Amino acid sequence: MRPREVLGQAARLASSGLLLQVLFRLITFVLNAFILRFLSKEIVGIVNVRLTLLYSTTVFLAREAFRRACLSGRTQRDWSQTLNLLWLTVPLGVFWSVFLGWAWLQLLAVPDPDVIPHYDTGVVLFGFSAVVELLGEPFWVLAQAHMFVKLKVIAESLSVILKSVLTAFLVLCLPHWGLYIFSLAQLFYTAVLVLCYVIYFTKLLGSPESAKQQVLPVSRMTDLLPNITRSRAFVNWEEAKLTWSFFKQSFLKQILTEGERYVMTFLNVLNFGDQGVYDIVNNLGSLVARLIFQPIEESFYIFFAKVLEREKDATLQKQEDVAVAAAVLESLLKLALLTGLTISVFGFAYSQLALDIYGGAMLSSGSGPVLLRAYCLYVLLLAINGVTECFTFAAMSKEEVDRYNFTMLALSSSFLLLSYLLTHWCGSVGFILANCFNMGIRITQSLCFIHRYYRKSPHKPLAGLFLSPVLLGVFALSGGITAVSEVFLCCEGGWPAMLVHVAVGALCLGATLGTAFLTETKLIHFLRTQLVVSRFTDKTT
């Protein structure tokens, strides 16, 4: 497949993911805002921090390395061996679920059963739900490798919506169930998620006239199950070695990604109520990252992994592939920078209003607005890091991945220490400041790799990190105007004043976007081109 065709598929995957996720996340956003009115900060802290950390750690350690290894390179491979390797995530998930479940029950402080009942059951069911989700891993990787555009988004979004609906129903009807409510909802979520993939592939492989079936490496559902033959090895050992390299890296990445939750959980620097407020703000702040940055990162990681060859220098590869990858990387960096900067500038003046609308006084008073303002800065770094790392991990050789692991090890240790110290110094906002430091170091590492990768070529993709002076001036002016507007109009003057405050922000945002449209013509051309390619591909598939 030519790089332009791969780029069109990646663009289609990202754009379709964005539109569908915005729709589904909006529904989930409303449901969660409704549920928050009936919960205490303490139960939010237990569910969203401690139990969700158990689930996410189990799933991440069991599958992340397998995903990266099995999605690297081109699709021409022995898929029987790849699927066999992916099924190893299930026993690995059982191991991590049992081990971490024991740690959560025996090593951590147990909450007061009168305030938060059924904690033990919650630990067991959240661990079990992680194992259930791993049963769908072979289906997920096969769908991603062949760029099934809407399956992933619809499956995940439908699961989240149904989980929120079930949670809202149980909270209203059976509030005395406590953690039973969230445990059952989590198990229901993973079951629906796996069933979506199973049902899709069952129908796809069962319909001979399907055009998609011609490009799949399997012809029936039994081909997706583990297959042991004497004629070849059970797994591809090159993929297995790459998986081990990524596993060492993913272990460290998990510490960096969820570091603040580990500090909260194991060092008790915040009580359960403060943990709950922090997590709500964190989820609200990362909403844009999940809606926009994550689909782009996942889709274009596949693009870079298919277009570039890991073990070759840029000068030794097809120059058309290298040129296309450089142009795409430059445009993605520019897009990430513009999006992140817009969120940082306008988020500062509208954090308190957003929290008041979403969760009422529980969030808009106290530390909530300060946390969200700090998170807006963090979103800017998240945006840039997502793009730089998706290229870096797709282009690195196995040896470079191993060397990168040592850097991640040092970064993990310093990040945890910094989180602990900053939290004692400035409260929960210290977690966000430590995350900003961590993300800055990771961005620096990736930028150094990209610079070395293209050093001997005429392409300069890092030019995407520079904006025009005019646009920067408009950003600064908009930030000043909206900050003054917040002081005089938000949030004590009632709804009329707040609506004026929103109108001021809308005018400033319109001026900023208009300036970006006039000054960043190269990015606009890229977006228009990929939108046209995406629509054309939709019509022909």
Side-chain angles (χ1 to χ4, degrees), residues 334 338 467-468 471 515-524:
K334 184 81 71 175
L338 279 173
L467 298 177
S468 71
L471 181 56
T515 306
F517 185 84
L518 295 174
T519 58
E520 302 299 336
T521 54
K522 192 173 181 180
L523 174 63
I524 300 301

Side-chain angles (χ1 to χ4, degrees), residues 43-217:
I43 198 166
V44 172
I46 284 291
V47 173
N48 287 8
V49 177
R50 183 173 289 192
L51 294 181
T52 301
L53 182 64
L54 168 64
Y55 159 79
S56 65
T57 303
T58 301
V59 168
F60 192 93
L61 293 179
R63 79 182 181 192
E64 179 67 13
F66 291 85
R67 283 186 170 186
R68 290 203 173 272
C70 295
L71 287 174
S72 298
R74 304 179 185 272
T75 55
Q76 284 76 21
R77 52 158 57 98
D78 187 337
W79 272 96
S80 177
Q81 291 180 319
T82 299
L83 292 170
N84 287 341
L85 183 64
L86 287 168
W87 279 110
L88 295 179
T89 59
V90 177
L92 189 60
V94 172
F95 165 77
W96 284 117
S97 178
V98 172
F99 175 75
L100 294 174
W102 172 83
W104 257 241
L105 289 173
Q106 301 299 323
L107 303 182
L108 301 180
V110 177
D112 185 353
D114 293 330
V115 178
I116 305 173
H118 316 306
Y119 172 73
D120 294 355
T121 304
V123 170
V124 172
L125 289 181
F126 267 78
F128 180 64
S129 69
V131 177
V132 171
E133 182 167 342
L134 293 171
L135 294 172
E137 198 59 21
F139 303 94
W140 187 93
V141 170
L142 188 61
Q144 285 292 101
H146 291 83
M147 293 188 175
F148 287 0
V149 178
K150 298 178 182 177
L151 172 59
K152 173 180 177 293
V153 176
I154 291 178
E156 293 184 358
S157 301
L158 180 64
S159 303
V160 170
I161 290 174
L162 292 178
K163 172 188 173 182
S164 298
V165 170
L166 178 62
T167 302
F169 174 78
L170 293 177
V171 164
L172 286 175
C173 299
L174 300 167
H176 59 281
W177 276 22
L179 291 182
Y180 282 154
I181 295 173
F182 303 94
S183 303
L184 292 174
Q186 180 66 24
L187 187 59
F188 179 70
Y189 159 78
T190 56
V192 172
L193 182 63
V194 173
L195 281 174
C196 285
Y197 281 96
V198 172
I199 292 172
Y200 179 86
F201 277 100
T202 300
K203 290 187 174 181
L204 182 64
L205 296 174
S207 110
E209 69 280 1
S210 172
K212 291 286 186 184
Q213 186 177 347
Q214 298 175 8
V215 300
L216 287 175

Side-chain angles (χ1 to χ4, degrees), residues 41-42 45-46 49 264 268-278:
K41 295 186 291 186
E42 288 73 21
I46 284 291
V49 177
M264 278 189 271
N268 295 321
V269 293
L270 299 176
N271 59 44
F272 291 130
D274 289 340
Q275 290 181 27
V277 172
Y278 173 84

